[in-house]
Amino acid sequence: MINNMRPRLVEQAAKIRAIGAVGLMVCVCVGHCRAGGDAKKPVSEERRLNNLVSELLDATAVSSPRAALSFRRPGDGWIFVSSTCKGNGSVALRLDNSTDHDAFINSQVTGGNTVEGVRFVTKGEHRIRVACGGSAVVERLVVRAIPELIHCGLGFDPAIKAFGHYDMAFLERDILPNVTTLIVPQNIKLPQPVIDDWHRHGKRFVAEVGIDSNAKTPRELAAYWTRPLDSTPFLDGIIVDEFIINRPTSSDRPARSARSPASSERRKRRAEEQERYRIYEQAIKQIHAEPHYKSKQLYFYFGGSGNTLNQEIIGPTIVHTIRDCGYRLVPERYLFERSSEE
């Protein structure tokens, strides 16, 4: 669980299917503070809270109405900011050189509130500028490195109609405050104020796309994957659903499985699968090399019966290609209810 965030956090994308955080792991960071004499300097050593979260900054008594505090993230990734306030008035937090209009936290506090926000930041040092109005002050400001928190999704309705329509209003109370990213259908239509508000909070929309079985070349497949990004400019990325990784069929399998060698038909299918993954890999490289998509993020579901990334099928390099492009590898796992005495 991420400290100081609600326990309902959805750690990574799921259609009630959890996805591992491979490629989405949080780097352990060392924070420091420069806010003048009224802010308590946080510990300089690494403050790892768990295997997903590390503390970058913990400043107290930020009494100056226009304090500036610095922190460092050793790698690109998400931050969670929590500001504990007291008094009555306005509290605005701006990151780096952003304007008043782009404040990622901008709240009215009455008597005392905790206000929270998330942002994706690049590697290196960043500064949070605090602006308070009225009698409001910030008693404590905490910055933590967190993993990406994705929910799937907006626009995907339940099979049981009585459960409601999964629109923004349905997700508003329990889901939206606790995630950084929403997976959506590639043809979704949203009002512009909804899009602008989500982006103003530094959050992302990611469209789900499939794999075009008719694509014969890397260029055809790259065009298929990027079509939603071209037709729906507000999308921040795509998630490909899905690469299938099944258990090996070769003699590399453990002796206990003692099966006969793969048939010629199975070997043929395996060779075709291997060729498809070579096409997938080249398509990924082509998208990454295109300047038009530099600001877009790509995610790849890996599902199937295999418990490991079976190189017999996918080859030895596609995982490295996804990682080297800065894209996200997403192992797919289903969470099943288990019987209990309760």
Side-chain angles (χ1 to χ4, degrees):
M1 182 185 300
I2 291 179
N3 295 5
N4 222 25
M5 295 184 78
R6 299 176 183 85
R8 291 184 291 265
L9 285 175
V10 181
E11 178 188 317
Q12 250 310 47
K15 293 173 181 173
I16 312 301
R17 52 190 183 183
I19 64 178
V22 178
L24 297 168
M25 294 183 292
V26 175
C27 298
V28 175
C29 307
V30 175
H32 66 281
C33 166
R34 291 202 308 260
D38 59 349
K40 180 182 177 181
K41 185 177 179 180
V43 294
S44 58
E45 67 270 14
E46 170 189 326
R47 182 99 188 276
R48 184 174 179 175
L49 302 180
N50 55 46
N51 64 334
L52 294 174
V53 181
S54 58
E55 191 166 83
L56 308 181
L57 174 69
D58 187 351
T60 57
V62 188
S63 57
S64 170
R66 303 196 73 83
L69 303 100
S70 295
F71 65 92
R72 179 180 296 277
R73 206 186 195 289
D76 297 352
W78 292 87
I79 59 168
F80 164 71
V81 180
S82 175
S83 175
T84 303
C85 311
K86 71 175 182 178
N88 300 296
S90 62
V91 173
L93 302 183
R94 297 187 297 280
L95 187 64
D96 296 328
N97 296 320
S98 59
T99 64
D100 291 348
H101 177 73
D102 294 325
F104 72 97
I105 290 180
N106 196 346
S107 298
Q108 292 292 321
V109 298
T110 305
N113 298 83
T114 297
V115 291
E116 302 170 347
V118 297
R119 272 293 187 275
F120 185 89
V121 299
T122 56
K123 173 183 177 179
E125 185 173 310
H126 298 272
R127 175 171 289 196
I128 291 180
R129 290 177 292 149
V130 180
C132 299
S135 64
V137 296
V138 174
E139 289 192 311
R140 185 184 183 194
L141 183 67
V142 175
V143 181
R144 288 172 179 163
I146 63 171
E148 187 164 14
L149 307 168
I150 306 182
H151 176 68
C152 183
L154 174 65
F156 299 99
D157 287 341
I160 303 175
K161 293 183 179 180
F163 282 6
H165 178 51
Y166 288 175
D167 56 11
M168 294 294 272
F170 182 91
L171 302 174
E172 183 175 10
R173 189 186 74 172
D174 296 321
I175 300 298
L176 299 186
N178 298 318
V179 299
T180 65
T181 307
L182 283 173
I183 294 181
V184 299
Q186 57 181 283
N187 61 349
I188 194 168
K189 304 296 183 184
L190 294 173
Q192 193 62 45
V194 171
I195 297 169
D196 293 342
D197 185 65
W198 191 247
H199 283 155
R200 183 177 63 80
H201 287 89
K203 301 186 178 186
R204 293 175 173 175
F205 292 106
V206 172
E208 187 175 270
V209 298
I211 298 176
D212 185 4
S213 59
N214 295 318
K216 304 302 182 185
T217 67
R219 187 158 300 281
E220 291 176 352
L221 185 58
Y224 178 81
W225 280 342
T226 56
R227 193 171 298 137
L229 300 177
D230 296 332
S231 61
T232 312
F234 73 79
L235 292 175
D236 302 291
I238 58 169
I239 183 165
V240 176
D241 187 11
E242 63 190 37
F243 294 165
I244 298 296
I245 308 298
N246 291 321
R247 294 187 179 92
T249 58
S250 70
S251 57
D252 294 340
R253 297 183 67 174
R256 63 181 175 83
S257 60
R259 294 184 179 179
S260 59
S263 66
S264 59
E265 180 64 27
R266 178 170 289 183
R267 289 196 299 271
K268 178 183 177 182
R269 290 199 304 269
R270 185 174 64 201
E272 291 173 348
E273 282 188 274
Q274 292 168 337
E275 177 58 28
R276 284 200 296 271
Y277 275 94
R278 283 189 281 270
I279 293 175
Y280 299 160
E281 186 171 359
Q282 290 303 312
I284 292 168
K285 290 180 178 179
Q286 289 183 13
I287 295 172
H288 183 257
E290 176 58 54
H292 182 62
Y293 303 117
K294 282 295 184 184
S295 64
K296 307 297 184 180
Q297 184 60 269
L298 273 64
Y299 309 75
F300 300 90
Y301 276 129
F302 280 78
S305 61
N307 294 322
T308 61
L309 296 176
N310 175 13
Q311 292 188 5
E312 178 189 68
I313 300 299
I314 68 175
T317 58
I318 189 171
V319 169
H320 296 283
T321 294
I322 293 172
R323 183 195 63 188
D324 293 345
C325 289
Y327 298 149
R328 300 298 186 241
L329 182 70
V330 185
E332 177 185 290
R333 295 293 181 265
Y334 285 84
L335 299 180
F336 297 98
E337 290 188 12
R338 297 183 180 273
S339 299
S340 70
E341 296 180 357
E342 297 180 0

